[in-house]
Amino acid sequence: MKTRLFDSRDAGKWKTQLSEAASILRAGGLIAFPTETVYGLGADGLNPEASVKIYQAKGRPSDNPLIVHIAGQEELDRLTDYVPENAKKLMDTFWPGPLTMIFKKKKEVPYQTSGGLDTVAVRMPDHPVALALIRFSGRPIAAPSANLSGRPSPTRWQHVYEDLNGKIDGIIQGEDCRVGIESTVLDMTSEEPMILRPGIITPEKITAVTGGKVSFDPALYVNRPRDVSEGLLEAAEGSLPAPKAPGMKYRHYAPKAQMLILQGAYDDVYRRMAEMTIEEEAKGKKVGRLLFSENDFEGAARDFFAQLRQMDEAGVDLILAGALNSKDSVGFAVMNRMMKSAGYHVLQV
Ligand code: TXA
Ligand code: MG
């Protein structure tokens, strides 16, 4: 398949470019597009055949539901009959933005889109290109991150090209993503809202709006830190409680290189990383270091996936990454991804 490139950055042409891309979506095709979080791989969310193509292109397990993207709150009526009061408050505050909410789905939402579940995840992205594309298509757009399943999420259009060129109908070239990690996924179907995937819309921000409690899916706390002082161990994938977001159970975000997280005080981690680099390079390994400024959690979120891909491109064999402080909610969200990328290999220093 030939993948067409569209350009949203040209002020003179963006409208015609996006209308063409939108007509491909209406015809059941696949178009990757920028959002504020990561690039998404879009298809008509109400067309079962179109959704199935997403799974094929990404190599994604079919039980992993897609997020449906809308451009206005009124479009929610096409997807669900019941929106709780708290959800209304949250969407007034955070939409458009990196918050996905889960509702009971209408029967018009195909099981191919909802991964076989009776619920549907919905978000309104805070990005002019994404919003225009959804409006022009006239459809709710199902879109997972536009990477091959298991690879780091794409925060630049070039990452989408690396993974999906030749497998999808088109890619909309845009700017680099400003958030860098995927949206917070919040289940609104239970009495108390529950975060199934952490993101930059934190529990503190959510409770400030609802005035009530918000919980985390208990599976998120099991971060299985493994002390690998004795050498790199294989993570015990089988021994986890099942997370409520099916996608959270898969090994994700994996760079090609082996990856090890160093956890401890910043200066100790810095020193140990330098020592280990010398040791490992003496063994002939190419080592990449990933150490973010101590309290810039949003900066770490923005750059994390892009840096993993850069290390792969540089042919790094071993990535040494400094753990972020998980007491900060954005730090916790980045650590959720970092732990998975590293297969839960952690060294306490
Ligand atoms: O920021 C984002 O959310 C990006 C951009 C493109 O919008 N999209 C994204 O989609 O990250 P994806 O498919 O890579 O991740 C969706 C996550 C998965 O973990 C999936 O299992 C979960 O949301 N999810 C989707 N629908 C769900 C549902 N009905 N119930 C539980 N979890 C659901
Ligand atoms: Mg994804």
Side-chain angles (χ1 to χ4, degrees), residues 58 60 145 147 153 182 252:
K58 279 180 59 91
R60 179 179 176 107
S145 49
N147 51 289
S153 292
E182 308 88 340
H252 251 103

Side-chain angles (χ1 to χ4, degrees), residues 25 27-30 42-55 66:
L25 286 173
L30 300 186
D44 179 349
L46 298 181
N47 175 343
E49 287 90 45
S51 283
V52 166
K53 285 189 202 165
I54 289 182
Y55 291 90
L66 306 172

